[in-house]
């Protein structure tokens, strides 16, 4: 059985009359990468701060690596947790190398061991010698990722970590996350960039107004959202008769909504005058939009 690293049982948190997290029940496992999605105010950042022990729940129970993240063992637990906040704040007068050395000392790690992380996240030797105040947003994000990776963390909690990264650096970032996941780390990744999460995470947790709306892989979420894939075809001739029941898209293009288990039979039944076939599956953006239109709990 894969060990669970983080467990939340019926966790709620309010700030005055504002409910930030309501009755969330969630478990994360070792060697798993989870996408946490939701609009601003959905409760994502509050949920991460509860896991870090920076906030205490009003009700419910949280366990991180077998301990209360806000309990007497919190300092020891945080040594094996990597964290990137939504708004990265680094000391502007320190160089990149000095910044990483500072965080390494906080975790009891030799700075000489930490330095290769700077190259791993794409910061040049010249850049590491420059003050952080001269860094672009993307460079600050890379430095933040390096500090989060210190000490081979067992858990990484990343709040909008790809903000400010160009496409090439985002690809490199996800390659690093895959390496950490393959070593057994739990990676929780909060992001507004829903499209980039597809193919990069094992499962997705959807939050809306503090409630967990759904939790599962994309195939499960598609079923839960009630959005079927579409089979699209282009006929060889615009004058050709379309198959019965298919809906026109443009001249010569036709579509048919189909459940996953129906697609193979749908394709076998196509006439010979089909020039092109395309299967359009709902994206994470489509799924998320469907959940936002639903009131109440779904998961």
């Amino acid at each position: 059985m894969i060990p669970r690293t983080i467990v939340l049982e019926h966790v709620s948190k309010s700030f005055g009359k504002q409910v930030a997290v309501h009755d969330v029940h969630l478990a994360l496992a070792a060697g798993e990468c989870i996408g946490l999605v939701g609009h601003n105010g959905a409760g994502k950042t509050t949920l991460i701060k509860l896991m870090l022990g920076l906030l205490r729940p009003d009700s419910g129970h949280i366990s991180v690596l077998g301990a209360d993240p806000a309990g007497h063992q919190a300092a020891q637990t945080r040594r094996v947790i990597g964290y990137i906040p939504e708004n990265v704040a680094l000391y502007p007068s320190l160089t990149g190398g000095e910044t990483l050395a500072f965080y390494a000392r906080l975790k009891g790690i030799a700075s000489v061991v930490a330095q290769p992380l700077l190259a791993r996240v794409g910061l040049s030797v010249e850049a590491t010698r420059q003050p952080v105040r001269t860094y672009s947003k993307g460079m600050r994000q890379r430095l933040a990722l390096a500090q989060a990776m210190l000490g081979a963390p067992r858990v990484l909690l990343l709040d909008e970590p790809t903000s400010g990264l160009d496409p090439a650096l985002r690809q490199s970032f996800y390659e690093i996350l895959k390496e950490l996941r393959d070593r057994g780390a739990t990676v929780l990744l909060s992001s507004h960039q829903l499209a980039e999460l597809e193919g990069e995470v094992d499962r997705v947790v959807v939050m809306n107004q503090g409630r967990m709306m759904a939790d599962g892989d994309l195939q499960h979420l598609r079923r839960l959202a009630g959005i079927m894939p579409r089979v699209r075809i282009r006929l060889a001739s615009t004058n050709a008769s379309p198959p019965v029941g298919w809906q026109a898209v443009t001249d010569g293009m036709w579509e048919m909504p189909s459940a996953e288990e129906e697609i193979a039979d749908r394709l076998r039944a196509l006439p010979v005058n089909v020039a092109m076939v395309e299967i359009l599956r709902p994206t994470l953006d489509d799924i998320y939009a469907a959940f936002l239109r639903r009131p109440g709990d779904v998961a």
Side-chain angles (χ1 to χ4, degrees):
M1 182 176 178
I2 300 175
R4 298 189 299 179
T5 53
I6 300 178
V7 178
L8 286 79
E9 298 176 331
H10 303 293
V11 170
S12 295
K13 179 66 180 178
S14 298
F15 300 96
K17 295 182 179 180
Q18 179 65 40
V19 178
V21 171
H22 177 73
D23 196 30
V24 170
H25 190 82
L26 177 66
L28 311 181
E32 186 177 36
C33 186
I34 305 98
L36 181 63
V37 306
H39 60 279
N40 288 334
K44 306 188 305 298
T45 296
T46 299
L47 207 57
I48 289 175
K49 288 183 177 179
L50 286 164
M51 295 176 189
L52 287 166
L54 300 178
L55 295 173
R56 285 186 175 274
D58 297 331
S59 60
H61 175 73
I62 303 175
S63 172
V64 178
L65 299 173
D68 179 355
H72 66 279
Q73 295 182 340
Q76 181 178 350
T77 301
R78 287 173 189 161
R79 288 179 181 271
V80 289
I81 295 177
Y83 171 52
I84 298 180
E86 182 178 7
N87 298 306
V88 175
L90 301 168
Y91 295 99
S93 297
L94 295 180
T95 67
E98 290 169 341
T99 298
L100 194 63
F102 168 76
Y103 283 107
R105 287 195 297 271
L106 289 180
K107 284 193 170 185
I109 301 168
S111 59
V112 66
V113 176
Q115 292 305 307
L117 289 175
L118 294 168
R120 183 67 186 88
V121 299
L123 287 174
S124 66
V125 174
E126 180 181 356
T128 64
R129 294 170 179 167
Q130 297 173 352
V132 170
R133 65 173 175 269
T134 66
Y135 279 22
S136 66
K137 184 176 183 180
M139 292 173 70
R140 291 196 300 271
Q141 288 295 120
R142 281 180 273 169
L143 182 56
L145 177 59
Q147 69 80 23
M149 292 167 58
L150 284 166
R154 294 176 59 190
V155 171
L156 286 104
L157 303 175
L158 312 177
D159 199 352
E160 300 290 340
T162 60
S163 175
L165 299 184
D166 62 38
L169 288 174
R170 285 181 182 175
Q171 181 178 356
S172 176
F173 166 81
Y174 283 112
E175 289 172 357
I176 293 171
L177 289 194
K178 186 178 185 302
E179 290 176 11
L180 294 168
R181 181 189 62 187
D182 290 346
R183 294 176 192 169
T186 298
V187 180
L188 180 68
L189 174 65
S190 169
S191 179
H192 286 99
Q193 303 294 331
L194 304 188
E196 75 177 41
L197 293 181
E198 295 191 48
E200 304 293 352
V201 297
D202 301 303
R203 48 190 267 239
V204 176
V205 174
V206 181
M207 296 289 296
N208 184 28
Q209 296 181 346
R211 298 174 182 268
M212 193 175 79
M213 301 294 289
D215 175 13
D217 60 26
L218 283 179
Q219 186 172 346
H220 173 71
L221 295 188
R222 288 185 183 113
R223 291 196 300 268
L224 206 58
I227 308 176
M228 288 194 297
R230 291 167 293 144
V231 178
R232 177 178 291 180
I233 61 174
R234 185 176 71 236
L235 299 180
S237 170
T238 56
N239 297 321
S241 299
V244 177
W246 287 66
Q247 303 165 356
V249 180
T250 59
D251 290 343
M253 298 285 285
W254 302 82
E255 277 187 359
M256 172 69 79
S258 303
E260 285 287 346
E261 59 272 16
E262 297 174 340
I263 291 177
D265 289 337
R266 192 81 68 195
L267 295 177
R268 280 192 288 267
L270 288 175
V272 295
N273 64 339
V274 172
M276 182 274 291
V277 176
E278 186 178 9
I279 300 172
L280 305 174
R281 289 183 169 85
T283 66
L284 186 52
D285 285 296
D286 298 328
I287 294 168
Y288 177 60
F291 284 124
L292 286 188
R293 291 191 293 267
R294 294 185 176 187
D297 296 309
V298 175

